[in-house]
Amino acid sequence: MTYLLALDQGTSSSRSIVFDRQGRIVALAQRELPQIYPQPGWVEHDPLEIWRGQLATAQEALAKAGITARDVAALGITNQRETAVLWNRKTGQPSHNAIVWQDRRGEPLCAQLREQGHADRIQQRTGLLIDSYFSGTKIRWLLDNVPGARAAAERGELAFGTIDSWLLWQLTGGALHATDVTNASRTMLFDVHRNRWDEDLLALLQVPASLMPQVLPSSADYGRTVEALLGAPVRIGGVAGDQQSALFGQACFREGLAKNTYGTGCFLLMHTGARPIASTNQLLTTAACQLPEALPREGEGLGGGGRQAHATRSSSAYALEGSVFVGGAVVQWLRDGLGAIQSSAQVQALAESVPDAGGVMLVPAFTGLGAPYWKPDARGTITGLTRGTTVAHIARAALESIAYQSAALLQAMARDAQAAGVAPVTELRVDGGACVNDLLMQFQADLLGIPVVRPAVTETTALGAAYLAGLSAGVYAGTDELQAQWQVQRRFTPVLPRGQALEAMSRWEHAVRQATLA
């Protein structure tokens, strides 16, 4: 048997999953990740806790599967993106807690960059809008606010990385300081056209180039794990940010294919082919998983480590992305904030106890609104309340808000795709924790007017990392083989007349305008 190990380091937990060659889950281990909130709008993680938790789940998953590290053909890493870590190259110790992607402390610097007229240049080069969501302003904050950090960085003593880079450093015993193109493209410092760090943007944000990791294809030879960690050295063959990894795990390998991940937030990506498309609808242009132009046969590698992999030419792949800040987190708010439910699993039954939301609209702008609105100052609102409104109506409106935000994203993508001559989306592939909610998936299909497809394996983020590692190790001949393995669990087809769906979207947009009033 051939096994692949995926390390899935997320915002709320660290997980490891063992897959067999057919992409079936053999074993899974998970450990919660404590959240640190130093002050309102700030979110941090302990990098050492991330590493300890991730290593422990990897060891546990292998034990649960009844295999050893020698049975693993390759290991893949997928991670929460944008989260920034600085550490000392000599000691491997972090300089500060990791600043999480949700953290808003960089907003004053972002406002300054916008006021200085840098928005167009940054979008043209990176595909991103100026926002504290991305790593660039987090790095600048660390350099400016951690005592001694800037001086140490100027001396070349510090390393920056997103979580994948941090894990790679730990797994290889400090032998490799690297990242892949998908994670690099989320820093606001990476030129997606030239596939390299942008010297001008590094200078603009006062980030020394010596901090930055080497950038490799998503499927490449990232070296080997230190033997003592898992019991034997394991090839590290794939790295991708969580959303691009899910796009890959959903077998969205060509333009016009799209997926939506319903997690803490929602992340909708549409593959646009081999060229980056500039959005005119407040969406992001980002790198999709990139493969070497020539994949190895099983038993072959790409050479003796990351440096050689860096010299391997990769095939370009891009995507449009929209991010919803509050997706499944609205269900957590129903549970923890309102006390409307005792567990998240109860929300579907409560929402289904009423035929509709009774005119209630809930805009969950708890931390502002993401794409396609990008309103950081928006705040959550509930409108349409009457004496007849019950907590069930609010629960249903909360669930529907996830679908409304995702529909607004896909409509914006459709406009960009049409303008660029990209194939239109004809179905939406879904994954993430909330995709198991049939009521939500059906409402999503109704709003979009296209089928919503739930795959047999919904752990697509980890699966994508495993597939990338398998391609690098020669376990798979190519993406055609992976496409053949993708299977549908359920297809939700639209039943709501298009006129009613459009009216509902119009009411949603009206509610959004109310949430963004100054």
Side-chain angles (χ1 to χ4, degrees):
M1 292 289 290
T2 298
Y3 297 98
L4 298 164
L5 176 62
L7 307 188
D8 182 0
Q9 206 299 301
T11 308
S12 58
S13 69
S14 297
R15 306 191 310 155
S16 294
I17 302 180
V18 176
F19 292 95
D20 65 16
R21 192 183 187 285
Q22 286 70 43
R24 296 175 299 216
I25 294 174
V26 178
L28 182 152
Q30 178 169 333
R31 178 173 290 192
E32 292 297 311
L33 178 61
Q35 309 296 302
I36 303 168
Y37 303 105
Q39 64 184 61
W42 292 26
V43 189
E44 297 178 357
H45 288 157
D46 179 350
L48 294 175
E49 178 62 28
I50 288 175
W51 164 236
R52 287 191 295 264
Q54 194 64 71
L55 177 61
T57 61
Q59 294 167 339
E60 183 182 345
L62 292 177
K64 282 184 173 181
I67 63 174
T68 70
R70 292 180 177 82
D71 300 312
V72 177
L75 176 156
I77 299 171
T78 183
N79 56 286
Q80 53 167 314
R81 304 170 303 170
E82 298 98 16
T83 297
V85 187
L86 275 187
W87 67 92
N88 185 287
R89 290 179 180 273
K90 185 175 181 179
T91 67
Q93 292 296 302
S95 304
H96 188 272
N97 280 336
I99 300 181
V100 178
W101 59 275
Q102 299 158 314
D103 190 282
R104 305 301 296 171
R105 76 186 70 181
E107 181 53 34
L109 177 56
C110 289
Q112 180 182 328
L113 292 171
R114 295 185 203 104
E115 290 165 7
Q116 292 172 347
H118 297 298
D120 287 346
R121 175 167 59 140
I122 287 174
Q123 183 174 16
Q124 287 165 5
R125 297 192 185 184
T126 69
L128 307 178
L129 305 178
I130 295 176
D131 197 272
S132 60
Y133 175 40
F134 306 112
S135 311
T137 56
K138 302 180 195 299
I139 305 170
R140 170 71 177 273
W141 188 93
L142 288 166
L143 292 173
D144 289 348
N145 290 276
V146 175
R150 181 166 292 282
E154 297 289 356
R155 293 193 298 268
E157 296 173 1
L158 300 185
F160 156 75
T162 41
I163 296 300
D164 58 303
S165 299
W166 169 246
L167 292 177
L168 280 169
W169 181 276
Q170 298 295 335
L171 287 165
T172 62
L176 185 64
H177 181 211
T179 188
D180 90 302
V181 289
T182 67
N183 280 293
S185 73
R186 310 297 294 187
T187 58
M188 216 167 74
L189 297 168
F190 187 76
D191 187 327
V192 294
H193 305 277
R194 297 185 299 156
N195 261 10
R196 59 184 294 177
W197 300 116
D198 189 286
E199 300 87 347
D200 293 341
L201 296 182
L202 288 168
L204 177 65
L205 282 164
Q206 300 174 26
V207 175
S210 62
L211 276 179
M212 308 308 288
Q214 178 187 6
V215 182
L216 309 180
S218 309
S219 180
D221 189 337
Y222 284 84
R224 304 293 186 273
T225 64
V226 175
E227 181 174 0
L229 297 176
L230 298 174
V234 177
R235 174 203 299 270
I236 306 171
V239 174
D242 53 9
Q243 302 313 316
Q244 288 97 331
S245 188
L247 187 72
F248 201 81
Q250 286 276 31
C252 296
F253 304 135
R254 55 180 172 81
E255 72 174 61
L257 291 176
K259 71 89 198 172
N260 196 19
T261 298
Y262 298 82
T264 304
C266 290
F267 298 89
L268 203 160
L269 272 72
M270 179 180 71
H271 203 296
T272 60
R275 61 192 174 100
I277 292 175
S279 174
T280 59
N281 289 280
Q282 298 273 74
L283 300 178
L284 308 177
T285 302
T286 194
C289 291
Q290 294 184 2
L291 308 179
E293 288 190 341
L295 290 169
R297 293 185 300 273
E298 189 159 11
E300 293 181 344
L302 292 176
R307 293 289 171 189
Q308 190 163 343
H310 184 53
T312 304
R313 293 185 61 193
S314 61
S315 56
S316 297
Y318 296 93
L320 281 174
E321 174 174 338
S323 307
V324 171
F325 293 155
V326 178
V330 74
V331 178
Q332 297 170 343
W333 174 75
L334 286 173
R335 182 192 65 197
D336 303 332
L338 282 190
I341 52 177
Q342 291 183 324
S343 71
S344 298
Q346 296 172 341
V347 70
Q348 180 167 335
L350 180 59
E352 285 182 331
S353 69
V354 290
D356 53 48
V360 176
M361 281 283 180
L362 191 158
V363 180
F366 304 143
T367 55
L369 284 172
Y373 308 107
W374 291 105
K375 299 288 186 181
D377 297 327
R379 288 297 174 262
T381 60
I382 302 176
T383 58
L385 297 174
T386 69
R387 282 293 299 270
T389 300
T390 68
V391 70
H393 292 107
I394 294 173
R396 188 162 185 129
L399 266 188
E400 291 182 352
S401 73
I402 303 172
Y404 279 122
Q405 293 176 95
S406 298
L409 282 181
L410 197 61
Q411 288 177 352
M413 281 185 184
R415 293 191 292 271
D416 282 332
Q418 184 177 17
V422 171
V425 174
T426 57
E427 67 178 27
L428 180 65
R429 299 179 178 184
V430 298
D431 53 61
C435 85
V436 300
N437 190 302
D438 292 347
L439 177 67
L440 173 59
M441 293 300 98
Q442 184 58 57
F443 189 65
Q444 188 72 84
D446 287 341
L447 287 180
L448 295 174
I450 59 174
V452 167
V453 183
R454 187 166 61 203
V457 177
T458 57
E459 295 286 357
T460 54
T461 303
L463 183 61
Y467 279 166
L468 289 166
L471 286 168
S472 171
V475 174
Y476 305 111
T479 55
D480 287 348
E481 187 175 354
L482 301 179
Q483 176 66 61
Q485 289 192 177
W486 187 79
Q487 295 181 343
V488 175
Q489 186 264 330
R490 181 168 173 183
R491 182 181 297 269
F492 298 85
T493 56
V495 295
L496 189 68
R498 283 310 294 154
Q500 292 182 33
L502 294 174
E503 286 177 15
M505 284 303 300
S506 179
R507 291 195 301 273
W508 166 258
E509 294 297 342
H510 178 71
V512 167
R513 288 192 293 273
Q514 291 176 299
T516 54
L517 291 175

